[in-house]
Amino acid sequence: MPTTPATAANSASNGTGTQEPIMLELVDKAGNTIGTAEKLSAHQAPGLLHRAFSVFLFDEQGRLLLQQRALGKYHSPGVWSNTCCGHPYPGESPFAAAARRTHEELGLSPSLLAQAGTVRYNHPDPASGLVEQEFNHLFVGLAQTVVRPDPEEVEATAFVTAEELAKRHAEVPFSAWFMTVLDAARPAIRELTGDAAGW
């Protein structure tokens, strides 16, 4: 990973916003880097389009690993979401960022992690007033080791089938971006898990 002021100052993350990467990579609508911006300002309305990633990991039974975001996070605390999501450091590849943050947040290294396309969206978060305007790189893979979540990042985890996810999604709060990134990743998810898993 390139060493920049942002990476040097923020090599550790505690989930509260104080030590997460403070600079994000701004992009145009085609995903080309056009600059950087401070993390919070990039998320304040109307939002600045920036690079992000989302990871979907599955167990051998084809169940998706969900995480509930830690209650101490300043953005979307306590909601359920995909396995891991975040932002690359400026100059860091999305693949490297996805693998790094999955290990930092959940204590596991993904197996067979593969690119699953990109999706661009603009999702306001009514609870916080922040805006997710992201060019999101999607990744799918397997979770084949024990999950050891960092409690400052992750409140809880759960492996769910497609049917269990639909039930949970109807009953508890999920991140504003969850269904957008899940739907965009479905072709790659089906290829990984097979038709019988129902994704």
Side-chain angles (χ1 to χ4, degrees):
M1 179 177 64
T3 301
T4 68
T7 60
N10 298 283
S11 58
S13 173
N14 67 4
T16 63
T18 57
Q19 292 191 22
E20 290 187 55
I22 58 171
M23 300 301 290
L24 305 184
E25 196 168 89
L26 301 182
V27 299
D28 63 19
K29 291 181 179 180
N32 300 305
T33 303
I34 58 172
T36 59
E38 191 275 327
K39 184 175 182 179
L40 184 57
S41 67
H43 287 89
Q44 290 173 330
L48 299 171
L49 185 62
H50 58 275
R51 196 177 307 284
F53 65 83
S54 290
V55 177
F56 297 85
L57 297 185
F58 296 82
D59 66 9
E60 297 291 349
Q61 290 75 49
R63 297 181 302 169
L64 171 61
L65 175 59
L66 298 177
Q67 72 154 275
Q68 183 184 22
R69 292 166 62 85
L71 299 179
K73 284 183 175 284
Y74 77 92
H75 190 352
S76 303
V79 302
W80 287 86
S81 198
N82 48 292
T83 308
C84 180
C85 53
H87 309 94
Y89 294 120
E92 182 183 25
S93 76
F95 184 93
R100 172 179 57 81
R101 286 300 292 159
T102 301
H103 187 267
E104 289 171 356
E105 292 188 6
L106 296 163
L108 62 85
S109 296
S111 302
L112 303 177
L113 190 65
Q115 297 184 34
T118 60
V119 62
R120 182 166 50 88
Y121 52 79
N122 188 335
H123 285 308
D125 177 28
S128 66
L130 299 175
V131 176
E132 287 288 358
Q133 188 169 173
E134 297 186 326
F135 189 96
N136 198 311
H137 297 256
L138 308 172
F139 298 93
V140 300
L142 299 178
Q144 295 182 307
T145 57
V146 176
V147 181
R148 294 184 175 87
D150 177 350
E152 294 184 332
E153 295 284 351
V154 179
E155 192 69 22
T157 61
F159 281 98
V160 297
T161 64
E163 184 177 332
E164 289 166 344
L165 173 62
K167 185 174 186 295
R168 185 182 292 250
H169 190 264
E171 294 175 349
V172 300
F174 271 72
S175 63
W177 60 88
F178 175 74
M179 287 307 301
T180 299
V181 293
L182 175 63
D183 287 344
R186 281 187 195 274
I189 291 171
R190 292 189 189 106
E191 186 174 340
L192 177 71
T193 62
D195 292 338
W199 294 103

